[in-house]
Amino acid sequence: LPLAPSVSSSGGRSAAVATSARMGGSVLALRTLRGGGEDTLPTPAELSDGNGADAAEEQGFMDPTGGKYPCPPFVHHRLKVLQRAKARAAAEAAAHADHACPIVITLPDGSTKDGLAGETRPLDVALVISKQLASSSVVALVNGEMWDMTRPLQESATLEFLPFDDARAQQVMWHSSAHMLGQALEHLKGALLVTGPATEDGFFYDVHLPPSSATTTATTTATATGASDRGGEVVLDATGAKVADSLVISSDELPELERILGNITRQKQSFERFELTKEEALDMFRYNAFKVSIIQSKVA
């Protein structure tokens, strides 16, 4: 989560930062957005305290590049914000530790399982039934609502498990894959993440490549084998000058991007749902004007 998170509204004063696991082989559409600004926000470099890489490792950071690229300063910053938020949440949970209520979980065949509100997860129920069910389930349905497998249930509910061949589970898988793509782009290009949604058959991530002097949009499409065709396009900035190579995701960089993605997959990094307050989310992404805009407009 602290490496390439996304932000969504949870209907209140919290910003839900949620991801789920696994990587699928699909078409990757990489669009570089230019023209946005971080005029009133700190730059990623300004977040550095001179101890970014070492401190990030102490906070559980796993380098997906194999030491080839430095850890972006904003990764360390996000990890620090996350640690503070987790400490706050742990203190709140401890204050209510003695109030876990029994709940009844109803499965599709009508059978029931007992659980505790705030503790029992869909994954726990699946493991009681069979390890095969737990390993094949991508996401759960709780009272008909999509629910992370590791997210605790809050009340008695109906529970269903969705495997990858369900279209809804595929959307979760592609969204998870977009998070991994975003993480790779942060480390390879220092990209600022915008949005990375799932599509009907895959995923993409819109990213901003600082500095923001260019105003045009370039599109690169990469298949799972790394093939790409930019059609000989030359990207120009507002003055008509050619944009520097550092501001473009070129076809030559796709093999390196796939190498980093492969490392992320092999590291088996955990994916975790954690809810931040709006203030915590704004602090976490204070270097990224795009995420700040999403938080300000989507979270009450």
Side-chain angles (χ1 to χ4, degrees):
L1 169 141
L3 302 178
S6 67
V7 179
S8 60
S9 171
S10 60
R13 285 188 57 79
S14 64
V17 179
T19 64
S20 53
R22 301 183 185 179
M23 175 67 183
S26 180
V27 173
L28 317 181
L30 318 179
R31 290 188 289 169
T32 55
L33 305 183
R34 303 185 179 85
E38 309 88 80
D39 304 270
T40 62
L41 300 175
T43 66
E46 289 172 345
L47 296 174
S48 176
D49 59 6
N51 192 32
D54 292 339
E57 289 180 5
E58 292 175 2
Q59 295 162 323
F61 167 70
M62 289 189 287
D63 182 4
T65 74
K68 190 172 181 179
Y69 306 101
C71 173
F74 52 74
V75 171
H76 180 211
H77 168 73
R78 290 200 306 246
L79 285 165
K80 290 195 296 184
V81 175
L82 181 61
Q83 284 192 330
R84 291 196 298 267
K86 283 190 170 184
R88 182 264 306 161
E92 293 175 355
H96 300 87
D98 298 330
H99 301 286
C101 299
I103 59 174
V104 177
I105 303 157
T106 304
L107 301 173
D109 63 1
S111 63
T112 61
K113 301 290 183 184
D114 295 329
L116 291 174
E119 295 185 13
T120 302
R121 310 169 301 168
L123 179 61
D124 299 324
V125 179
L127 284 169
V128 169
I129 298 172
S130 74
K131 290 183 179 180
Q132 181 179 0
L133 176 63
S135 64
S136 64
S137 299
V138 176
V139 67
L141 283 182
V142 175
N143 290 334
E145 177 187 349
M146 299 278 277
W147 200 273
D148 293 332
M149 291 288 291
T150 56
R151 180 183 179 186
L153 303 172
Q154 299 301 322
E155 60 186 2
S156 294
T158 60
L159 176 63
E160 182 179 351
F161 302 101
L162 302 183
F164 179 72
D165 57 7
D166 187 288
R168 293 164 294 182
Q170 290 173 13
Q171 288 288 294
V172 173
M173 181 74 79
W174 301 148
H175 188 189
S176 302
S177 301
H179 280 271
M180 297 167 71
L181 175 61
Q183 178 183 348
L185 288 168
E186 285 187 331
H187 285 269
L188 180 64
K189 302 290 289 186
L192 298 183
L193 305 183
V194 186
T195 56
T199 64
E200 290 185 1
D201 58 358
F203 55 94
F204 67 89
Y205 222 119
D206 280 340
V207 301
H208 172 75
L209 301 182
S212 56
S213 58
T215 58
T216 58
T217 299
T219 302
T220 301
T221 301
T223 68
T225 59
S228 175
D229 181 10
R230 297 184 67 239
E233 176 186 16
V234 175
V235 183
L236 305 178
D237 66 14
T239 67
K242 182 180 177 180
V243 173
D245 289 342
S246 63
L247 296 178
V248 177
I249 301 171
S250 71
S251 59
D252 292 339
E253 293 175 294
L254 295 179
E256 179 66 359
L257 182 62
E258 290 195 4
R259 183 189 72 83
I260 297 173
L261 282 167
N263 287 345
I264 295 171
T265 303
R266 285 185 291 274
Q267 288 174 339
K268 297 183 179 179
Q269 299 181 20
S270 62
F271 287 75
E272 177 183 359
R273 176 191 175 91
F274 188 81
E275 293 192 6
L276 302 171
T277 65
K278 182 176 183 179
E279 291 72 21
E280 288 167 340
L282 288 171
D283 186 15
M284 177 175 281
F285 295 102
R286 62 191 177 94
Y287 64 91
N288 186 327
F290 306 99
K291 292 298 189 186
V292 166
S293 176
I294 292 171
I295 296 167
Q296 293 283 26
S297 62
K298 297 290 187 180
V299 183

